[in-house]
Amino acid sequence: MTTTTSKISTISPFQQRSLDAVWHPCTQMKQHETFPLVPIVRGKGVWLYDADDNGYLDAIGSWWVNLFGHTHPVINAAIKDQLDKIEHVMLAGFTHEPVIALSERLKAITPGNLGHCFYASDGASATEIALKMSFHYWQLAGKSDKTHFVSLQNDYHGETLGALSVTDVAIFKKTYAPLLRPCTHVMTPDWRYANAGQSAESHALRAAAALEEHLAEHHAKTAALIIEPLIQGAMGMGMYHPVYLKRAREICDRYQVHLIADEIAVGFGRTGTMFACEQAEITPDFLCLAKGLSGGYLPLSVVLTTDTVYQGFYHDQSAHAFLHSHTHTGNALACRAALAVLDIFEQDNILETNQIKAKYLNDAATGLLSHPKVVNFRNCGMIWAFEVETKDLQFSHKFFQAGLKQRLLLRPLGNTVYFMPPYIITEEEIDLLVKGTLHILNTL
Ligand SMILES: *Cc1c(COP(=O)(O)O)cnc(C)c1O
């Protein structure tokens, strides 16, 4: 029996099979009665190709994961090589070269003394691991009252129940509120919330003062502050001044509260530095990475932590061990993909060439910046965002559809349009992206 009735005849058998059997994420499935799925059969560079060989410029890196385009020769070759050696072995009691090499390299390139790598498969799981480790550390240290977490207003940390508890995005959270743990969300440093005439920096300092006020009173019960460094992605690419991170680190130290940096979206060069925390010269107690870690190829995430935290669990008694068992922890194929990603960063001087690309895009985008419908045009590293003045509740959906007609993959968050292109985007492709976006704005 078919559960989906197709109201338009343009749905191909391929699309219909998907509607009949696949429950797509973040989607009201009924909308696909009128908006067909895009069937992708192959990808190359920034381009995704559908069944009729139309190319779509993947301007949002396939949900923020793709760093170096699709079917990159270096990553492809690494995975193929690994495939003939060992694809996967359980990581409890076993180890292998890709997971060792990746951990060593992450230890070398991340800030400060982060050096113990705990792996999982997705971002939300990394959040869960960091929260559990922080809580467990304090339990073992005799601070059994530290059972609460603090995050920022508008933060997003994933959608499993623990991660959703520390998330503050109503659309994802509202329905499940009865299942969640209470969490305090302190004032966001996002400069869009600054008072009139207030600078981004002074707003960030005001938000830091609010954090201090909260922790001064509640630190004895607080295990950790979890934040998205520099950019609050899911709530519309809110950007903030690095001074907030500096202050947050000082405040957490002062009150013996862990700082968890969720760099799942911003890690690996998105903000211009390899990791966002570098811009404030801080080291978190836990660093969560996923998305770009494997170049967007394979599900892989990791939590890095300090020697201090690691030693807290290091004990004769097995009850002191950190028990969190992901079946695919440290998957060899995914680790090899991640190693290839780090090779590309080094060999192709990605952070430097990104600066040139970012400048090129900013120069090309002056027409967007000055467009009468555009407000808050902003850029940080390889992320651009702006709000479009509209009252249309269907804006995001209509913009996405109009984008496909321009051969662009853009998927606004509410009325926030953003670009998060693969780093291999060329100047010609940047021109196409800007021109297409302007055309949509002028015709929507
Ligand atoms: C995407 C994201 C997550 C969740 O990652 P998943 O792999 O989707 O579970 C967590 N935190 C941030 C900041 C993210 O952008």
Side-chain angles (χ1 to χ4, degrees):
M1 195 183 82
T2 323
T3 49
T4 319
T5 42
S6 111
K7 291 200 177 139
I8 48 171
S9 54
T10 53
I11 292 185
S12 71
F14 189 73
Q15 291 161 326
Q16 190 60 51
R17 276 171 52 213
S18 196
L19 293 180
D20 288 344
V22 183
W23 196 337
H24 292 266
C26 212
T27 300
Q28 172 47 264
M29 290 300 293
K30 196 165 195 300
Q31 286 190 341
H32 283 308
E33 287 180 3
T34 42
F35 295 105
L37 287 157
V38 187
I40 295 301
V41 292
R42 66 186 184 93
K44 186 83 205 142
V46 296
W47 298 96
L48 293 163
Y49 294 92
D50 69 13
D52 298 321
D53 221 29
N54 298 309
Y56 302 92
L57 197 163
D58 188 355
I60 59 167
S62 286
W63 258 357
W64 322 354
V65 298
N66 190 294
L67 298 187
F68 301 124
H70 299 278
T71 59
H72 190 287
V74 173
I75 308 174
N76 280 21
I79 295 173
K80 284 176 187 168
D81 178 65
Q82 186 60 41
L83 198 52
D84 284 331
K85 292 178 176 152
I86 175 71
E87 77 299 332
H88 179 73
V89 58
M90 59 189 284
L91 204 65
F94 295 84
T95 193
H96 53 77
E97 177 61 25
V99 78
I100 299 170
L102 180 60
S103 306
E104 288 171 345
R105 283 176 77 177
L106 290 174
K107 183 173 179 156
I109 63 170
T110 49
N113 59 343
L114 297 168
H116 301 279
C117 300
F118 195 102
Y119 291 89
S121 311
D122 55 76
S125 294
T127 298
E128 301 287 347
I129 288 163
L131 297 175
K132 283 174 71 178
M133 263 187 193
S134 171
F135 162 82
H136 197 165
Y137 173 87
W138 292 121
Q139 294 297 302
L140 294 172
K143 308 237 170 180
S144 55
D145 285 346
K146 285 185 173 286
T147 58
H148 282 68
F149 298 101
V150 176
S151 84
L152 300 180
Q153 168 197 2
N154 292 351
D155 252 9
Y156 178 91
H157 300 291
E159 292 169 54
T160 51
L161 296 179
L164 199 54
S165 293
V166 292
T167 286
D168 183 40
V169 181
I171 179 175
F172 299 127
K173 191 161 181 171
K174 229 172 31 200
T175 310
Y176 306 103
L179 302 180
L180 305 178
R181 285 180 56 79
C183 168
T184 305
H185 305 287
V186 291
M187 182 194 291
T188 175
D190 178 349
W191 61 250
R192 293 176 298 173
Y193 291 75
N195 293 327
Q198 197 180 26
S199 71
E201 184 172 5
S202 74
H203 175 67
L205 290 169
R206 184 163 67 109
L211 170 66
E212 168 129 39
E213 199 177 312
H214 177 82
L215 288 185
E217 192 177 338
H218 300 286
H219 63 91
K221 294 191 163 174
T222 306
L225 165 71
I226 178 167
I227 53 176
E228 293 184 79
L230 295 188
I231 299 179
Q232 296 184 287
M235 200 62 174
M237 300 295 162
M239 299 185 182
Y240 63 86
H241 196 284
V243 73
Y244 184 83
L245 295 176
K246 233 183 175 49
R247 284 284 191 280
R249 178 69 276 183
E250 290 162 9
I251 295 163
C252 285
D253 284 343
R254 191 170 313 139
Y255 293 106
Q256 283 211 323
V257 168
H258 284 143
L259 177 61
I260 304 172
D262 174 354
E263 295 219 19
I264 289 165
V266 296
F268 299 98
R270 269 295 157 198
T271 65
T273 43
M274 195 63 168
F275 300 102
C277 284
E278 292 171 38
Q279 295 188 36
E281 296 170 325
I282 61 151
T283 305
D285 299 291
F286 301 89
L287 177 67
C288 302
L289 303 171
K291 291 198 166 100
L293 172 61
S294 71
Y297 264 61
L298 289 160
L300 181 67
S301 63
V302 62
V303 178
L304 287 102
T305 190
T306 60
D307 236 16
T308 309
V309 169
Y310 182 75
Q311 291 303 334
F313 292 81
Y314 205 80
H315 201 275
D316 291 332
Q317 287 179 28
S318 55
H320 280 233
F322 181 64
L323 294 185
H324 190 94
S325 333
H326 274 294
T327 308
H328 279 99
T329 295
N331 176 267
L333 288 174
C335 289
R336 263 309 280 282
L339 284 166
V341 163
L342 297 180
D343 288 342
I344 298 170
F345 266 104
E346 281 176 20
Q347 287 159 15
D348 297 350
N349 282 321
I350 296 299
L351 295 178
E352 287 93 90
T353 49
N354 276 359
Q355 284 179 15
I356 300 165
K357 288 186 187 189
K359 182 176 184 314
Y360 185 88
L361 201 155
N362 281 324
D363 290 344
T366 49
L368 284 175
L369 181 78
S370 59
H371 195 281
K373 283 187 196 161
V374 169
V375 288
N376 295 336
F377 185 92
R378 54 198 181 276
N379 161 236
C380 178
M382 288 297 278
I383 304 181
W384 288 262
F386 56 86
E387 274 76 54
V388 175
E389 294 198 309
T390 174
K391 293 200 167 60
D392 188 349
L393 294 175
Q394 292 294 308
F395 169 80
S396 167
H397 203 66
K398 287 179 184 165
F399 197 98
F400 170 69
Q401 294 296 329
L404 293 178
K405 290 205 180 82
Q406 297 301 310
R407 301 280 176 255
L408 298 177
L409 168 45
L410 288 168
R411 205 169 181 277
L413 298 155
N415 68 331
T416 305
V417 178
Y418 69 93
F419 305 150
M420 219 153 147
Y423 302 158
I424 46 101
I425 191 167
T426 63
E427 294 186 351
E428 207 179 12
E429 288 159 348
I430 288 172
D431 289 340
L432 284 176
L433 172 59
V434 172
K435 232 176 92 188
T437 307
L438 273 170
H439 181 84
I440 302 166
L441 283 173
N442 288 331
T443 50
L444 202 65

